Amino acid sequence: MPVACQDCPLRMLPCFDDLSEDELQFMTQFKSGELDVAAGTPILVEGSKSPQIFTVLRGMGLRYKTLEDGRRQVTNFVMPGDFIGLQAAIQSEIGYSVDASTDMTLCVFRRSDIWKLFRMHPSRAFDMTWLVCSEEHFLGEALTTVGQRSALERIAWAMVTVHDRASQLGLVHNGVMNFPFRQQDLADALGLSLVHTNKTLAKLRERDLLTWSDGMLSLRDRESLRQIAQLDDTMPPKRPLL
Amino acid sequence: MPVACQDCPLRMLPCFDDLSEDELQFMTQFKSGELDVAAGTPILVEGSKSPQIFTVLRGMGLRYKTLEDGRRQVTNFVMPGDFIGLQAAIQSEIGYSVDASTDMTLCVFRRSDIWKLFRMHPSRAFDMTWLVCSEEHFLGEALTTVGQRSALERIAWAMVTVHDRASQLGLVHNGVMNFPFRQQDLADALGLSLVHTNKTLAKLRERDLLTWSDGMLSLRDRESLRQIAQLDDTMPPKRPLL
DNA sequence: CGCCCGATTGAACTCACTCAAATACTGTGG
DNA sequence: CCACAGTATTTGAGTGAGTTCAATCGGGCG
């Protein structure tokens, strides 16, 4: 049974912009349905033209690109509130794949309605562009991390970034969050080998900076991790939700 | 003396979408001026809120991010037709810096007019979003390159990508293009050290795959370079010009 | 129990880094 | 016109961070 936008549990979170009554009504009719997928399901496939666009309501996933010989670059961890698939709607093809890492619920939009959104609801079009800019910004950060930071710095960066994101979404309880990924996923996100990722994680664990086992992640000392990562401590602004 | 959009030399290139009479007229009044800068001038500064947005008319530059300790990640080479600074207009701050590597001419827009564009000209707003998606796509490619490819593959990838882009813009003459960057810039773009970049370039030169000296780049064997880079050979689609 | 998958650990190797110095070029001032 | 400083490229040598190979361990499941 689909959730009405009116009752969207994400909408209530303080990290998201408020919606006007008008916008809310528009979104309700813009939303074409809901999709439930099991862990492991591919949601978007690189190079395809998906007729659908999604907002993540629940669960987590992986966004990645692959080379012909099988090497894989994870470009982001997908979390609730993320808007995925717009590339396919605006250009002809999509440049990345998304797989579900846990069971997920997705809010579905028709790509053919995008144009209507731009014409009829400029404020929502603006918000959509905001989200793409935001993703662009993140990829710039990730590129800088993989290009310039050492293995220890990369992992510290990833953990603080992921944790902060989850924290915004109210997914951290008593300092612990669900982190349903494999070490191989983290390695592929940071351009490191699995073995070295494992050994570097062990170092952070020995120093008692974090714990991660059985899919549960806890930052024991976020401040130290932040410093290792040379990450500045700015509160992210409120963001739009589509 | 500013160029009228009507007479914009870029507009005529086959790689750009056609504009309707209506759109053309709107752009002319949307354009608030022209800016000429000398090589070496900073155009945008990370973290600032520039009141201006630009389209590059002429010349090349560097887009990059820096860490506190001085490490630098070049995130793109800036070329004519590129639209820069939107992040600052849509969010409050900009996430990267841009410096001019040659003398450049920029088409200037007021950030305060962006909202008007979304409200009054949805087709241009759509095009703007297209461009951001495109940049997002590129950053995904770059991240994959830096995260997964070897030094030889990275350099081959960068050279083919840059050359193809210049080719689209009609900047390649007799197989030769202007490439006004230092080896340090390329190294910072690919997450490699200067020394290793130099030695890897030498290997490609020895194999007679490319030549690059005095700011002139020529791909002697694009096909081999493309294969080394594991880069697929798809024609880029026509793109919007703002 | 046996199998599969993911995490962990050890050992050897190598790609890419740092350090260092030489070369080449350009602009500046005497 | 030459000396000099500053910047970019090139090359050599030694080092090290991260890789690959390989084996083990542990939990979940048919």
Side-chain angles (χ1 to χ4, degrees):
Chain A
M1 179 68 80
V3 176
C5 293
Q6 175 70 50
D7 307 321
C8 178
L10 291 177
R11 202 166 71 77
M12 315 307 179
L13 292 170
C15 65
F16 292 112
D17 282 339
D18 293 330
L19 282 189
S20 69
E21 200 52 51
D22 191 31
E23 287 171 325
L24 198 57
Q25 198 186 342
F26 178 81
M27 289 317 287
T28 301
Q29 61 122 45
F30 182 47
K31 174 171 176 175
S32 84
E34 223 165 76
L35 180 64
D36 266 289
V37 299
T41 312
I43 296 170
L44 292 172
V45 181
E46 185 174 356
S48 68
K49 4 192 167 192
S50 162
Q52 297 172 331
I53 313 169
F54 308 99
T55 289
V56 178
L57 283 183
R58 185 183 61 96
M60 294 186 189
L62 276 179
R63 195 176 140 166
Y64 61 92
K65 293 173 68 76
T66 42
L67 298 182
E68 286 160 29
D69 64 5
R71 281 176 284 180
R72 178 182 74 148
Q73 177 67 39
V74 169
T75 53
N76 208 347
F77 299 107
V78 175
M79 293 190 173
D82 286 5
F83 185 60
I84 59 177
L86 186 61
Q87 260 184 35
I90 288 216
Q91 307 182 323
S92 51
E93 288 185 357
I94 192 165
Y96 51 86
S97 303
V98 176
D99 287 359
S101 295
T102 64
D103 292 351
M104 294 178 78
T105 306
L106 304 158
C107 199
V108 184
F109 309 105
R110 265 184 295 269
R111 67 177 281 186
S112 53
D113 284 350
I114 287 286
W115 174 240
K116 190 161 78 182
L117 181 141
F118 269 86
R119 213 153 22 81
M120 313 234 313
H121 242 278
S123 74
R124 296 272 70 196
F126 188 89
D127 286 344
M128 212 157 84
T129 308
W130 197 104
L131 289 175
V132 186
C133 279
S134 185
E135 191 65 30
E136 182 200 340
H137 182 265
F138 173 83
L139 287 176
E141 295 280 340
L143 178 55
T144 304
T145 296
V146 173
Q148 304 301 324
R149 292 193 237 248
S150 71
L152 196 74
E153 292 168 338
R154 288 184 215 187
I155 294 191
W157 174 83
M159 291 323 210
V160 172
T161 303
V162 160
H163 185 89
D164 283 3
R165 218 141 72 83
S167 177
Q168 291 285 317
L169 294 166
L171 298 175
V172 178
H173 306 286
N174 294 105
V176 182
M177 69 173 280
N178 209 300
F179 190 64
F181 304 103
R182 296 166 304 153
Q183 293 189 358
Q184 184 68 65
D185 298 326
L186 183 61
D188 288 346
L190 298 175
L192 296 169
S193 72
L194 170 61
V195 173
H196 197 57
T197 299
N198 180 289
K199 287 175 179 168
T200 308
L201 276 167
K203 273 185 198 144
L204 293 171
R205 216 181 302 122
E206 277 161 29
R207 289 215 238 160
D208 202 33
L209 299 179
L210 60 78
T211 58
W212 173 25
S213 62
D214 302 310
M216 302 305 283
L217 171 66
S218 167
L219 303 195
R220 307 291 304 272
D221 186 348
R222 177 181 176 281
E223 182 53 23
S224 295
L225 288 168
R226 196 186 62 68
Q227 282 172 14
I228 289 173
Q230 295 213 332
L231 193 57
D232 46 23
D233 206 356
T234 50
M235 259 305 252
K238 280 206 177 196
R239 59 191 239 235
L241 174 66
L242 273 165
Chain B
M1 177 71 78
V3 176
C5 293
Q6 175 70 50
D7 306 321
C8 178
L10 291 177
R11 201 166 71 77
M12 314 306 178
L13 292 170
C15 65
F16 292 112
D17 283 339
D18 293 330
L19 283 189
S20 70
E21 200 52 50
D22 190 33
E23 287 171 325
L24 199 57
Q25 197 185 344
F26 179 80
M27 288 317 288
T28 301
Q29 60 121 45
F30 182 48
K31 175 172 176 175
S32 83
E34 223 164 79
L35 180 63
D36 266 290
V37 299
T41 312
I43 295 170
L44 292 171
V45 181
E46 186 174 355
S48 69
K49 3 192 167 191
S50 161
Q52 297 173 332
I53 313 169
F54 307 100
T55 288
V56 177
L57 283 183
R58 184 182 61 94
M60 294 187 190
L62 276 179
R63 193 176 142 167
Y64 61 91
K65 293 172 68 75
T66 43
L67 297 182
E68 286 159 30
D69 64 5
R71 281 176 284 180
R72 178 182 74 149
Q73 177 67 40
V74 169
T75 53
N76 208 346
F77 298 106
V78 175
M79 293 189 169
D82 286 5
F83 186 60
I84 58 177
L86 187 60
Q87 259 185 35
I90 289 216
Q91 306 182 324
S92 50
E93 288 186 355
I94 192 165
Y96 52 85
S97 303
V98 176
D99 287 0
S101 295
T102 64
D103 292 351
M104 295 179 79
T105 306
L106 304 158
C107 201
V108 184
F109 309 105
R110 266 185 295 268
R111 68 177 280 186
S112 53
D113 284 350
I114 287 287
W115 174 239
K116 191 161 78 181
L117 182 141
F118 269 85
R119 213 154 22 82
M120 313 232 317
H121 241 278
S123 74
R124 295 270 71 195
F126 189 89
D127 286 345
M128 210 156 87
T129 308
W130 198 104
L131 289 175
V132 187
C133 279
S134 185
E135 190 65 29
E136 182 200 340
H137 182 265
F138 174 83
L139 287 176
E141 295 280 340
L143 177 56
T144 304
T145 296
V146 173
Q148 304 301 324
R149 293 193 237 250
S150 70
L152 196 74
E153 292 168 337
R154 288 184 215 187
I155 293 191
W157 175 84
M159 292 324 210
V160 173
T161 303
V162 159
H163 185 91
D164 284 3
R165 217 140 73 84
S167 177
Q168 291 284 318
L169 294 166
L171 298 175
V172 177
H173 306 285
N174 294 102
V176 182
M177 69 172 280
N178 208 300
F179 190 64
F181 304 102
R182 296 166 305 154
Q183 292 188 0
Q184 183 68 65
D185 297 327
L186 183 61
D188 288 347
L190 298 175
L192 297 169
S193 72
L194 170 61
V195 172
H196 197 56
T197 299
N198 179 289
K199 287 175 180 169
T200 308
L201 276 167
K203 273 185 199 147
L204 292 172
R205 217 181 301 122
E206 278 160 29
R207 289 213 238 162
D208 203 33
L209 299 179
L210 60 79
T211 58
W212 173 25
S213 63
D214 302 310
M216 302 305 284
L217 170 66
S218 167
L219 303 195
R220 306 291 304 273
D221 187 347
R222 177 182 176 281
E223 183 52 22
S224 296
L225 288 168
R226 196 186 61 70
Q227 282 172 13
I228 289 173
Q230 295 212 332
L231 193 55
D232 46 24
D233 206 356
T234 50
M235 260 303 254
K238 280 206 178 197
R239 59 192 239 234
L241 176 65
L242 272 165

